[in-house]
Amino acid sequence: MKIRGILFVSSLLLQSTMAGLWGSSSNNGKKKKVMDPITAEKNLPSAPTSKYDYKLSFKKNYYYNGSIPFWTAGGDIFQSEDFIRLSPSVPNTKGWIWSEIPNPYEEWEVDVAFRVTGNHMQGGRGLALWYTQDKEQPGPIYGSKDKWDGLSVWLDSNNPVTHKPSTVVILNDGTLEFASKNALDPRKYMLGACSISFRNTENPVYLKVSLRETTLTVSMDNGSGAKDYRICVQKSGIKLPTGYYFGVSALSINPADDHDIISFETRQLNPPKKLEHPKRPLEDEKKKRGEEFTGIDEEQRKKIEEAEFQMRKLRETAENSAAIYDTQQRAIEHIQLVQLQIEALGAPSPDDAITGNYQKIDLSKINDMGSSSSNSASYDKVRAENRYRSILFVFPRKQIA
Ligand SMILES: *[C@@H]1O[C@H](CO)[C@@H](O)[C@H](O)[C@H]1NC(C)=O
Ligand SMILES: *[C@@H]1O[C@H](CO)[C@@H](O)[C@H](O)[C@H]1NC(C)=O
């Protein structure tokens, strides 16, 4: 198969895959452009080099087919359209929500938007953010188990003396006990704490926790909707393994508060370069090989243009909705891989192809590369997945680079 054929085939593949994806993602089409505190994520002071992970996140609209994809909720939880109530203002209730997927990232950042509301002067206990080895284990520590292994950030609103809520950051190796008869004093073991009011606020409160290299930072915004974070605790020399689970739990005592989670968003910090510009990793190489590539015709160019447009739209959707299928993401990755194969062989990137920014060359220099099928004839066959794989196999990236 010659280059022309591969390029053509890939753009068709792209299109047919996209058509399928669009068919199933119609309920994600209603995107809110209005800035409200819940969707104001674009304003977060995240590092420019971060990548949103929709599987380790949830936000409105939460549900797909009655549940939150990739998350498990339990206890006295109440799932509404606008928030997830972990524990209601009913004494002695608790609830939780945990990611089903372990965090794969060395460096990460999570943003949790929540609300704690109650009628009494005194707060009705509180909630906790977890990054732990175990998940979904109820217990006395803000709804989750004691002797956890990993990180916990407590948001405690129950100070009967000062009525001031406190945020406490605490690590445990699975041995320390804080809720038993001979419980340890958390103040002796915590990394740090602060007092930022988060109860009965007008806007949702944002809690941001990040691990950058070995620096753990916990900050909060209690008024402006993720625009004005104040650092609560910052510590270096912190090691937390990958493969732990994110979760949030809450506990109401008597008098009780409502503990609502509005969103949970996870980003990978400093993702590898190739993920930032998935289409252009071999830019220089390609330019050199410009003389090895032949032109594409008008029809092919249109197809690439269209596929590229749909790809962009799909990515946008993927970044803005939790309710996207795993398969969609994998499909994109597959397509990007195919695109890389083609580009590595000297084809222009879709952008270059559209703008005509490539050199035309003598096709005869490039011989048949491992396949006997003729130019674009075997489109139907190529659509079959095994054929698709064989294209990837014939042009592994390592040999090209
Ligand atoms: C939706 O949920 C129901 C009940 O859990 C299940 O039987 C059905 O297969 C689900 N549908 C989809 C499209 O996932
Ligand atoms: C935010 O927290 C500070 C410190 O506790 C407090 O003085 C302030 O009133 C809080 N803001 C809101 C909107 O609750």
Side-chain angles (χ1 to χ4, degrees):
M1 179 181 289
K2 294 189 174 83
I3 299 263
R4 285 173 68 102
I6 297 167
L7 186 62
F8 182 56
V9 156
S10 95
S11 69
L12 285 173
L13 261 174
L14 214 64
Q15 282 199 313
S16 58
T17 316
M18 288 300 151
L21 297 183
W22 281 120
S24 66
S25 65
S26 54
N27 62 337
N28 303 316
K30 284 177 248 146
K31 255 202 310 147
K32 258 214 217 156
K33 282 276 178 250
V34 188
M35 266 306 167
D36 65 34
I38 297 160
T39 53
E41 133 226 337
K42 294 274 162 359
N43 287 344
L44 292 186
S46 309
T49 52
S50 70
K51 187 170 175 260
Y52 186 72
D53 188 323
Y54 70 95
K55 284 191 227 167
L56 298 176
S57 304
F58 61 81
K59 56 183 163 182
K60 222 179 139 183
N61 305 314
Y62 308 105
Y63 313 106
Y64 179 79
N65 197 19
S67 66
I68 303 168
F70 313 112
W71 291 76
T72 302
D76 302 308
I77 201 159
F78 170 73
Q79 304 189 359
S80 115
E81 210 176 288
D82 299 315
F83 55 81
I84 292 149
R85 180 153 294 167
L86 293 179
S87 72
S89 46
V90 174
N92 305 316
T93 50
K94 51 165 102 76
W96 56 89
I97 181 161
W98 285 88
S99 169
E100 288 162 7
I101 298 167
N103 161 53
Y105 308 124
E106 303 266 346
E107 296 181 275
W108 46 263
E109 176 182 277
V110 298
D111 287 279
V112 189
F114 66 94
R115 255 200 186 108
V116 177
T117 41
N119 293 329
H120 301 269
M121 179 73 175
Q122 186 176 328
R125 200 75 264 183
L127 61 159
L129 166 75
W130 302 94
Y131 178 62
T132 53
Q133 188 173 36
D134 298 324
K135 60 183 165 82
E136 294 162 47
Q137 297 196 5
I141 308 287
Y142 304 92
S144 280
K145 75 162 196 173
D146 205 350
K147 291 168 72 172
W148 70 94
D149 186 325
L151 168 72
S152 186
V153 179
W154 299 352
L155 297 151
D156 190 294
S157 55
N158 184 247
N159 188 323
V161 181
T162 62
H163 300 311
K164 277 192 179 155
S166 46
T167 302
V168 176
V169 183
I170 191 158
L171 288 175
N172 198 341
D173 60 1
T175 64
L176 305 178
E177 247 179 300
F178 296 99
S180 64
K181 272 239 166 73
N182 306 312
L184 301 166
D185 182 351
R187 284 170 298 184
K188 292 200 180 123
Y189 292 88
M190 66 188 187
L191 291 178
C194 69
S195 181
I196 293 176
S197 176
F198 58 77
R199 189 167 174 260
N200 288 332
T201 54
E202 198 178 323
N203 294 318
V205 175
Y206 280 75
L207 170 72
K208 185 196 281 290
V209 179
S210 68
L211 184 66
R212 194 183 291 275
E213 291 185 357
T214 64
T215 300
L216 180 75
T217 307
V218 175
S219 41
M220 286 169 76
D221 179 345
N222 69 347
S224 58
K227 288 187 197 100
D228 186 19
Y229 281 94
R230 307 278 156 91
I231 289 182
C232 173
V233 172
Q234 188 162 55
K235 279 268 174 189
S236 56
I238 303 294
K239 286 197 182 116
L240 284 166
T242 57
Y244 280 20
Y245 296 91
F246 291 115
V248 197
S249 65
L251 177 70
S252 293
I253 53 167
N254 192 9
D257 280 345
D258 287 326
H259 299 97
D260 301 341
I261 302 294
I262 291 139
S263 62
F264 191 113
E265 302 185 75
T266 302
R267 285 177 182 77
Q268 175 188 20
L269 299 179
N270 301 315
K273 274 247 152 56
K274 66 178 165 98
L275 294 177
E276 288 169 42
H277 301 291
K279 298 259 167 119
R280 312 280 183 90
L282 300 168
E283 194 82 348
D284 289 341
E285 179 91 351
K286 249 175 10 186
K287 289 243 159 74
K288 254 187 265 157
R289 286 165 173 262
E291 70 250 301
E292 290 176 15
F293 182 69
T294 186
I296 52 172
D297 65 28
E298 198 53 40
E299 189 192 4
Q300 290 165 350
R301 183 176 303 188
K302 255 197 236 145
K303 287 197 163 105
I304 294 171
E305 193 168 359
E306 203 176 308
E308 179 70 1
F309 170 69
Q310 294 195 341
M311 181 97 95
R312 231 177 268 141
K313 259 167 83 177
L314 188 74
R315 266 204 222 108
E316 246 173 58
T317 312
E319 282 185 3
N320 283 293
S321 171
I324 294 269
Y325 275 126
D326 190 15
T327 45
Q328 293 185 339
Q329 197 63 21
R330 251 188 274 132
I332 295 175
E333 279 159 16
H334 270 313
I335 291 160
Q336 288 174 341
L337 190 55
V338 172
Q339 180 65 43
L340 290 179
Q341 314 293 343
I342 303 160
E343 289 183 39
L345 288 169
S349 69
D351 285 354
D352 287 352
I354 291 157
T355 55
N357 180 23
Y358 60 88
Q359 290 172 297
K360 307 197 178 207
I361 50 93
D362 181 3
L363 182 61
S364 64
K365 276 194 201 153
I366 308 159
N367 296 322
D368 286 3
M369 300 190 76
S371 168
S372 60
S373 56
S374 70
N375 217 357
S376 59
S378 54
Y379 163 52
D380 283 339
K381 260 193 276 168
V382 173
R383 284 180 65 170
E385 182 163 42
N386 54 356
R387 190 73 185 85
Y388 185 17
R389 289 235 171 83
S390 79
I391 293 175
L392 300 179
F393 181 70
V394 172
F395 309 116
R397 267 188 84 193
K398 263 192 227 134
Q399 287 178 18
I400 297 158

